[in-house]
Amino acid sequence: MTDENKQTNFIREIIDNDLESGKHAKIITRFPPEPNGYLHIGHAKSICLNFGIAKDYDGICNLRFDDTNPIKEEDEYVNSIIEDVKWLGFDWEDRLYYASDYFDQLYEWAIQLIKNGNAFVCDLTADEINEYRGTPTKPGNESPNRNRTVEENLELFDKMKNGEFPNGAKVLRAKIDMASPNMNMRDPVVYRILHATHHRTGSKWCIYPMYDWAHGLEDSLENITHSLCTLEFEDHRPLYDWFIDQLDGVYHPRQIEFARLNLNYTVMSKRKLLELVEGGLVNGWDDPRMPTISGLRRRGYTPASIREFADRVGVAKREATSDIALLEHCLREDLNKRAHRRMAVLEPLKVIITNYPKDQTEEFEAVNNPENENDGKRMIPFSREIYIEKSDFMEDPPKKFFRLGIGREVRLKHAYYITCNEAIKNENGEIVELHCSYDPATKGGWSDDGRKVKGTLHWVSVEHAVQAEVRLYDNLFSKENPYEVEDGKDWKDNLNSESLIVNKNCYIEPSLANSNSEDNFQFLRLGYFTTDKDSTKDKPVFNRAVSLRDRKK
RNA sequence: UGGGGGAUCGUCUAAUGGCAGGACAUCAGACUCUGACUCUGAGUAUUGGGGUUCGAAUCCCUAUUCCCCAGCCA
């Protein structure tokens, strides 16, 4: 059943067994985000896991919003999540569900729980419940209301539902065991009073179910076979199971926990990311430095690269921090196959080809993608004055420098061989212009006489180039582990001050002027770039998603 | 000093009592109209200590160490 070249993991093994034993005939999973923030790469791991398993096992995966807390949840987040999951390439067909769709059923079951003597209405305040709960090493005390009659509980719960009590006045609690070593089992809250407007049910309800009560039952209603969640819910599993077991004839899914994704040089919690956004430390949720799906997307990451990354990091129970270099590798791997090559100069240095006729223009043919002939060719204009990269010239270069120097010959990609004769400097001694000569016999960038040239440079024609803004990105944090701080310092002090470099004086080849937002390109020798949403015809803007591997010494 | 889970190359991840393997990263080389890609090669790991066994990453004992749990958040 499992694809052979796909990495297996302990969850897939469980599924294999369940299929083999006949426990399940069809696998059903779900991705259950709370719409209280934007999705990040950590969620992508979960999305790829759940949807990936459904796909590989010929099952289905639902998208379900776990919207049980109206205070934190908003439609804006619902929309962004839908968009992100879709963009990642997954399809839930008509199975878009909301926990709030089940509020009536959940309420009915709560009544059943009360009738069975397994729940009671508690008058304790939040603080009192806290005190009564005890500590991990000391058992808690039972609520004075724990032994109310079923009738009284039913009546009180009905009044809670009818809005007869203010927020916090009462809660419905499960009656389990105040001495349990598992804190989650110490009479957990099932319903709380919240006079709040819910993004979908409006003011219909003023009591809302808690996660532990709701989640397993949501899974049950959807016939989820394997409910996958992260490690911190391991302690909740006994409660997940307990709730379902109290109800008659309710299907019992299996919760399985796996380790969440961590990435070095970034932070991954919604709260921390929100702090960065609200503190203006980044430019919104889709800032290309953010590990959010929308940030990665704007940065120039492709859905395929993120899916591949999710596959490669694997799934296990051990807590781990993956190397962001693997993510970058997956992007390069994807884009190397697909991205069209273009030429752009980030830090221009003017070159005058002194023996090239003034007012002459030629066009050279260039392949769009050497990895795929079908991607065709384009024409690139060439003239007497061109820009090359400042860093491609050294006045006094070391031997291993394969680029331009006085008296050295290099190839201009697709064009000619040129030799540098002179470097012109300004009064500060800075090189402002190069005078070179070209060899007409090397037209197209090739010589028949077998002479070899050490380096090949990218370039653009001064006359034809389009000025553009290019944004270069680096890790958001300068420390592998941003939380590693000296005394008195904060994780935000580890923000990388050079994570964004804006270069407005770049020149791009003319064919690039008409690109669309999120088009991916390889700028020759520089990296993979994408057109930013800020880009206009007059002022093109590109983001560098990732540089090319650079093995020069 | 409660409960629940972990610990394998630098990083992630395999192994299900039988040769510790793969990927990324790193280094070295080949190739190259991108110092890219591709190819070849190299080094690097079972947390410690005991035990069972012909044989242990795997089973047992013990120690160490890390993570999670005291929201009317999810």
Side-chain angles (χ1 to χ4, degrees):
Chain A
M1 194 52 114
T2 307
D3 197 334
E4 256 185 53
N5 55 21
K6 197 144 203 155
Q7 223 171 28
T8 187
N9 57 54
F10 76 100
I11 294 175
R12 284 171 182 264
E13 278 175 24
I14 289 170
I15 292 173
D16 288 338
N17 289 335
D18 288 348
L19 253 14
E20 203 177 324
S21 72
K23 180 178 179 186
H24 300 296
K26 180 176 183 164
I27 301 304
I28 308 179
T29 56
R30 103 266 93 118
F31 174 61
E34 183 190 14
N36 70 342
Y38 281 69
L39 258 28
H40 53 62
I41 181 92
H43 295 109
K45 172 179 177 175
S46 176
I47 292 166
C48 293
L49 212 215
N50 279 294
F51 280 95
I53 282 174
K55 182 166 179 273
D56 292 344
Y57 286 92
D58 201 23
I60 55 176
C61 178
N62 301 339
L63 176 59
R64 180 174 77 224
F65 287 99
D66 211 357
D67 54 353
T68 56
N69 185 354
I71 294 167
K72 291 188 174 179
E73 295 148 6
E74 294 173 24
D75 272 333
E76 179 198 347
Y77 296 127
V78 170
N79 296 332
S80 76
I81 289 167
I82 286 175
E83 191 184 342
D84 286 349
V85 179
K86 229 184 253 174
W87 177 77
L88 274 174
F90 296 106
D91 184 8
W92 51 90
E93 296 172 311
D94 59 348
R95 300 179 314 280
L96 173 60
Y97 300 133
Y98 294 83
S100 51
D101 290 342
Y102 310 135
F103 281 174
D104 286 296
Q105 176 64 257
L106 259 20
Y107 178 77
E108 290 304 315
W109 274 333
I111 287 173
Q112 192 180 329
L113 199 64
I114 294 171
K115 285 182 176 167
N116 293 342
N118 289 318
F120 65 98
V121 173
C122 179
D123 301 343
L124 258 26
T125 65
D127 285 345
E128 286 167 338
I129 287 181
N130 254 319
E131 284 168 32
Y132 275 68
R133 186 154 28 224
T135 71
T137 49
K138 265 180 262 164
N141 296 311
E142 296 185 348
S143 164
N145 309 121
R146 200 172 196 260
N147 294 313
R148 286 214 245 242
T149 63
V150 168
E151 290 67 32
E152 195 181 356
N153 282 322
L154 251 17
E155 189 186 327
L156 256 15
F157 188 49
D158 190 53
K159 286 182 174 175
M160 281 171 65
K161 186 198 73 170
N162 294 335
E164 296 181 30
F165 304 116
N167 288 356
K170 290 186 172 12
V171 289
L172 182 71
R173 288 227 253 167
K175 199 188 285 188
I176 310 180
D177 178 9
M178 289 306 290
S180 172
N182 182 346
M183 301 291 285
N184 296 122
M185 302 299 273
R186 320 244 263 227
D187 290 6
V189 173
V190 177
Y191 270 92
R192 75 285 214 189
I193 299 170
L194 249 28
H195 292 273
T197 303
H198 187 277
H199 74 115
R200 297 193 79 239
T201 60
S203 55
K204 176 177 177 188
W205 295 91
C206 55
I207 57 170
Y208 290 90
M210 296 288 290
Y211 167 86
D212 287 305
W213 169 249
H215 202 89
L217 297 175
E218 293 160 18
D219 287 340
S220 179
L221 284 165
E222 293 176 17
N223 288 306
I224 302 301
T225 54
H226 303 268
S227 176
L228 313 180
C229 64
T230 45
L231 252 28
E232 70 268 26
F233 292 101
E234 220 155 10
D235 283 347
H236 293 246
R237 187 171 4 111
L239 186 51
Y240 181 105
D241 292 334
W242 188 90
F243 278 135
I244 292 171
D245 289 342
Q246 303 319 306
L247 301 168
D248 295 331
V250 168
Y251 167 71
H252 198 145
R254 196 227 284 210
Q255 172 179 303
I256 303 170
E257 311 84 15
F258 65 93
R260 61 162 9 100
L261 173 73
N262 294 296
L263 265 190
N264 56 11
Y265 296 106
T266 192
V267 294
M268 203 73 88
S269 85
K270 277 189 201 172
R271 222 203 85 232
K272 295 280 194 305
L273 295 175
L274 180 65
E275 207 174 328
L276 293 176
V277 171
E278 289 187 334
L281 272 0
V282 295
N283 305 314
W285 287 100
D286 69 343
D287 187 304
R289 294 168 293 181
M290 291 279 274
T292 50
I293 306 290
S294 52
L296 291 166
R297 175 178 182 175
R298 188 171 176 190
R299 169 91 166 242
Y301 272 83
T302 58
S305 68
I306 293 172
R307 276 185 254 123
E308 177 67 17
F309 173 72
D311 276 351
R312 291 226 211 168
V313 292
V315 179
K317 293 203 71 159
R318 122 181 42 131
E319 295 206 43
T321 302
S322 292
D323 195 337
I324 199 159
L326 179 60
L327 214 211
E328 296 178 337
H329 168 82
C330 293
L331 211 221
R332 291 190 184 108
E333 184 181 57
D334 182 32
L335 256 20
N336 177 54
K337 286 179 297 193
R338 302 174 22 218
H340 283 201
R341 272 60 170 173
R342 293 291 184 271
M343 291 204 285
V345 173
L346 267 32
E347 290 186 78
L349 172 62
K350 188 184 272 189
V351 172
I352 296 178
I353 300 163
T354 52
N355 60 337
Y356 192 88
K358 285 179 182 164
D359 306 321
Q360 180 175 315
T361 296
E362 284 181 87
E363 286 209 316
F364 293 109
E365 195 176 71
V367 293
N368 283 324
N369 181 5
E371 303 288 320
N372 181 6
E373 290 297 322
N374 296 332
D375 282 347
K377 294 174 175 165
R378 70 188 186 286
M379 302 307 285
I380 307 173
F382 181 84
S383 63
R384 190 170 190 264
E385 296 189 3
I386 60 169
Y387 291 121
I388 65 166
E389 212 67 59
K390 234 175 218 159
S391 56
D392 281 338
F393 175 81
M394 269 183 92
E395 210 177 358
D396 191 17
K399 202 158 174 257
K400 280 289 196 178
F401 187 79
F402 297 157
R403 293 160 271 171
L404 206 52
I406 305 286
R408 290 196 182 195
E409 184 173 54
V410 298
R411 170 171 35 240
L412 295 176
K413 179 87 178 173
H414 304 304
Y416 290 107
Y417 286 9
I418 58 167
T419 304
C420 183
N421 306 310
E422 193 183 1
I424 313 296
K425 297 180 183 177
N426 64 14
E427 57 270 22
N428 298 326
E430 295 157 353
I431 297 163
V432 293
E433 193 174 290
L434 260 27
H435 287 183
C436 300
S437 51
Y438 84 117
D439 177 358
T442 59
K443 186 166 179 169
W446 188 254
S447 170
D448 291 333
D449 63 10
R451 90 178 182 266
K452 286 231 171 182
V453 107
K454 283 182 220 151
T456 300
L457 308 188
H458 61 276
W459 53 274
V460 293
S461 162
V462 170
E463 186 191 335
H464 307 89
V466 176
Q467 194 170 14
E469 174 175 325
V470 173
R471 300 171 184 170
L472 304 176
Y473 301 98
D474 195 358
N475 295 329
L476 224 203
F477 290 85
S478 51
K479 270 212 154 119
E480 231 186 287
N481 175 8
Y483 299 121
E484 195 182 293
V485 289
E486 297 160 33
D487 280 348
K489 293 224 173 184
D490 181 47
W491 59 278
K492 294 199 268 342
D493 292 318
N494 284 328
L495 246 6
N496 177 9
S497 58
E498 286 165 14
S499 58
L500 168 63
I501 292 172
V502 179
N503 197 340
K504 298 190 182 212
N505 189 36
C506 303
Y507 290 93
I508 58 177
E509 65 167 87
S511 69
L512 230 26
N514 295 313
S515 61
N516 298 310
S517 186
E518 292 181 25
D519 281 352
N520 299 109
F521 300 100
Q522 184 195 103
F523 287 3
L524 237 49
R525 302 208 301 142
L526 296 173
Y528 294 99
F529 293 73
T530 194
T531 314
D532 190 81
K533 69 178 185 184
D534 289 345
S535 196
T536 63
K537 291 273 177 285
D538 294 338
K539 193 191 136 202
V541 179
F542 293 90
N543 298 317
R544 180 163 72 186
V546 66
S547 65
L548 253 29
R549 266 188 85 193
D550 184 2
R551 283 189 285 203
K552 55 178 176 271
K553 319 223 170 47

